[in-house]
Amino acid sequence: MSTDKSWEKWGQQDPYYAVLTHEKFRNKQLNKDSLEAFFKTGHGNVNNTINRCRQLFGDDITLKNTLDYGCGTGRMVIPLAKFSDHVTGMDISDAMLDEARKNCQENGIENVSLIKADDQLSELKGSFDFVISHMVFQHIPVARGMQIFRNLLGYIAPEG
């Protein structure tokens, strides 16, 4: 089975566990507390990343247009929406994108677009001053991942 088909299947059957493999994130275990813990990890990852960028590049980082490649259920899209004027979440799985849409709606997040990924990134428009992809490329065969990564680099804005 291709990785694309595998991720679609995970998105349909157990999307939170597919992102973070802990039993409390299994569909049968999901409740308000486990979902809160799941999304808290995304907030932590985003805060750590933004803080590290500020250490390296200065405190005046302003995010206007952010891309989360491999956004899954929106675990990082939601906290990124607080730092950025607009966030684009991109994923190979329609089921994951549906879950991310639901999570954005439930959290009142309106500055997000969610789009289907392909290797050419054909649905992307414009450029991004911040591109993030967390726990994604290790699931993609190396040659394919390198090509996707090269394509992503082409969407980074000057000064991005």
Side-chain angles (χ1 to χ4, degrees), residues 16 51 54 62 69 79 88 90 93 103 117 139 144 148 151-152 157:
Y16 299 92
N51 287 337
R54 286 183 173 144
T62 302
Y69 180 81
T88 300
M90 184 174 236
S93 166
N103 289 321
H139 302 289
R144 182 180 182 199
I148 294 168
N151 291 341
L152 284 168

Side-chain angles (χ1 to χ4, degrees), residues 1-33:
M1 184 182 312
S2 78
T3 58
D4 296 0
K5 289 180 182 176
S6 294
W7 279 106
E8 181 60 26
K9 185 176 177 182
W10 277 111
Q12 292 168 1
Q13 294 178 353
D14 220 349
Y16 299 92
Y17 180 79
V19 174
L20 293 177
T21 52
H22 190 288
E23 286 301 312
K24 68 182 173 185
F25 302 129
R26 288 267 191 202
N27 272 347
K28 61 187 175 194
Q29 304 286 341
L30 280 180
N31 57 41
K32 182 182 175 196
D33 291 338

Side-chain angles (χ1 to χ4, degrees), residues 4 69 92 117-122 140 144 147-148 151:
D4 296 0
Y69 180 81
I92 199 71
D118 60 33
D119 291 4
Q120 294 73 39
L121 310 176
S122 59
I140 301 172
R144 182 180 182 199
Q147 185 58 51
I148 294 168
N151 291 341

Side-chain angles (χ1 to χ4, degrees), residues 14-86:
D14 220 349
Y16 299 92
Y17 180 79
V19 174
L20 293 177
T21 52
H22 190 288
E23 286 301 312
K24 68 182 173 185
F25 302 129
R26 288 267 191 202
N27 272 347
K28 61 187 175 194
Q29 304 286 341
L30 280 180
N31 57 41
K32 182 182 175 196
D33 291 338
S34 60
L35 280 173
E36 185 176 307
F38 178 87
F39 284 104
K40 187 176 181 179
T41 67
H43 286 274
N45 289 141
V46 168
N47 287 334
N48 289 340
T49 301
I50 298 294
N51 287 337
R52 183 66 178 140
C53 287
R54 286 183 173 144
Q55 288 173 349
L56 294 170
F57 306 112
D59 288 336
D60 61 343
I61 292 174
T62 302
L63 303 182
K64 293 181 180 157
N65 203 13
T66 297
L67 172 64
D68 179 6
Y69 180 81
C71 69
T73 61
R75 183 176 76 95
M76 293 183 55
V77 163
I78 291 168
L80 283 167
K82 295 176 182 173
F83 286 101
S84 186
D85 293 346
H86 187 267

Side-chain angles (χ1 to χ4, degrees), residues 71-73 89-102 114-117:
C71 69
T73 61
M90 184 174 236
D91 203 277
I92 199 71
S93 166
D94 289 318
M96 289 286 196
L97 289 169
D98 289 343
E99 199 67 21
R101 257 182 221 94
K102 180 187 85 167
L114 297 165
I115 58 176
K116 177 83 173 199

